[in-house]
Amino acid sequence: QTIFTSIYSHVMTEVQEPKTKVQKTEMSEWVTIVGFGSLLSKRSALTTTPSIRAYQYVRVKGYQRLFAHPAAIFFERGPYPGIARPETKEIASLSTRPLEGGGFVACAYQIPRAEWEPLAEREEEFDFVEAEFELLESGVEALGRNVGWMCTRSTDEKLKTTSLWQRYEKYLGKEYGEVSVWGWAPDSGIRPCPVYCRHCVLAVQKEGVPEYVAKSFLEETFLADHTTTLAKYLEDNPHVMATEPPE
């Protein structure tokens, strides 16, 4: 579980340079995070960042949540190809993209600045953006300006400057003859990694997670084609929820 929750916590707004954002965040003792995957379970969030406060559910507008890019770690969980299924392109992880009229239920919470910096470094495949959100719960602790850091899609050009790119070259080059993380087109056929997708679905079904959170995850999460909902995909592909992680 630590492998998953360390990777799939994400933050949104329009894309800016991550370093600029981190420098801005350093002025505050507490940093607000917007999560949209397995962090929708507070238990998962506590595994990733144990010092959280003011955990609550919110609605982010102007973004779409989708399975549209491969994750190198999927190829590394166990003997090659790990939990990835390269032959069927079931290698996709969660991200977000700006979309006018888009939106979904997310979680928002605060962590100490000391925990934010290592988290941002671990998520170097993404861009970090400041995402505005609406509160959905009453009687909860305020989160300042109702803005939090969220992971969103980056570019291959930026990723090539990080230590991650060599890992992607190793796996994607071997399987597909070319390497791209953020260039998979809507008609590329990339699909959710079954073990990871199941992990996220189970997270929103845990005790204490409101039903509307799970409903949003199923109906407001999309495949790379930007139109197929996760609910429809799971209905047509029952093997996903039957795929358990390796021991």
Side-chain angles (χ1 to χ4, degrees), residues 76-89:
E76 300 166 344
R77 180 91 190 275
Y80 187 86
I83 60 173
R85 291 187 175 181
E87 69 281 2
T88 54
K89 298 184 180 178

Side-chain angles (χ1 to χ4, degrees), residues 47-61:
T47 300
T48 303
T49 48
S51 303
I52 67 175
R53 72 174 188 183
Y55 185 97
Q56 58 192 274
Y57 295 105
V58 300
R59 184 164 187 82
V60 173
K61 291 187 176 182

Side-chain angles (χ1 to χ4, degrees), residues 4-220:
F4 290 128
T5 53
S6 68
I7 302 176
Y8 303 106
S9 346
H10 304 324
V11 203
M12 317 167 45
T13 324
E14 58 185 64
V15 178
Q16 302 173 11
E17 290 295 329
K19 289 184 178 179
T20 300
K21 296 184 174 182
V22 171
Q23 290 168 355
K24 180 179 179 181
T25 304
E26 286 177 352
M27 294 186 293
S28 173
E29 180 182 356
W30 291 86
V31 180
T32 300
I33 300 295
V34 176
F36 52 80
S38 61
L39 295 188
L40 292 170
S41 162
K42 187 176 181 181
R43 284 166 53 189
S44 294
L46 284 166
T47 300
T48 303
T49 48
S51 303
I52 67 175
R53 72 174 188 183
Y55 185 97
Q56 58 192 274
Y57 295 105
V58 300
R59 184 164 187 82
V60 173
K61 291 187 176 182
Y63 284 85
Q64 184 181 51
R65 174 173 51 199
L66 69 171
F67 285 93
H69 80 286
I73 198 170
F74 292 164
F75 292 85
E76 300 166 344
R77 180 91 190 275
Y80 187 86
I83 60 173
R85 291 187 175 181
E87 69 281 2
T88 54
K89 298 184 180 178
E90 291 176 279
I91 59 175
S93 179
L94 275 176
S95 59
T96 64
R97 71 179 186 110
L99 178 66
E100 184 176 356
F104 54 84
V105 174
C107 66
Y109 59 92
Q110 294 185 324
I111 61 174
R113 176 162 52 88
E115 291 184 17
W116 153 249
E117 292 167 351
L119 176 63
E121 291 176 2
R122 287 200 304 267
E123 307 285 1
E124 61 181 345
E125 69 198 81
F126 300 94
D127 274 349
F128 278 91
V129 292
E130 285 189 295
E132 296 183 7
F133 52 79
E134 296 179 355
L135 301 182
L136 296 177
E137 303 178 76
S138 59
V140 293
E141 186 176 347
L143 290 170
R145 299 182 294 125
N146 292 343
V147 172
W149 294 114
M150 181 181 80
C151 297
T152 194
R153 58 183 296 114
S154 184
T155 65
D156 287 347
E157 288 68 28
K158 289 183 180 179
L159 196 53
K160 288 176 182 178
T161 67
T162 73
S163 60
L164 279 175
W165 187 252
Q166 288 185 338
R167 291 161 62 192
Y168 281 111
E169 286 183 317
K170 178 180 179 180
Y171 305 126
L172 300 182
K174 175 180 179 179
E175 296 294 341
Y176 307 114
E178 58 181 343
V179 181
S180 179
V181 176
W182 296 109
W184 292 74
D187 63 353
S188 64
I190 191 172
R191 301 159 62 192
C193 171
V195 170
Y196 173 64
C197 182
R198 175 180 180 270
H199 170 73
C200 291
V201 173
L202 293 179
V204 300
Q205 294 176 345
K206 287 182 179 178
E207 182 179 359
V209 179
E211 183 177 348
Y212 69 85
V213 177
K215 179 179 175 67
S216 170
F217 190 76
L218 292 173
E219 298 181 359
E220 295 181 318

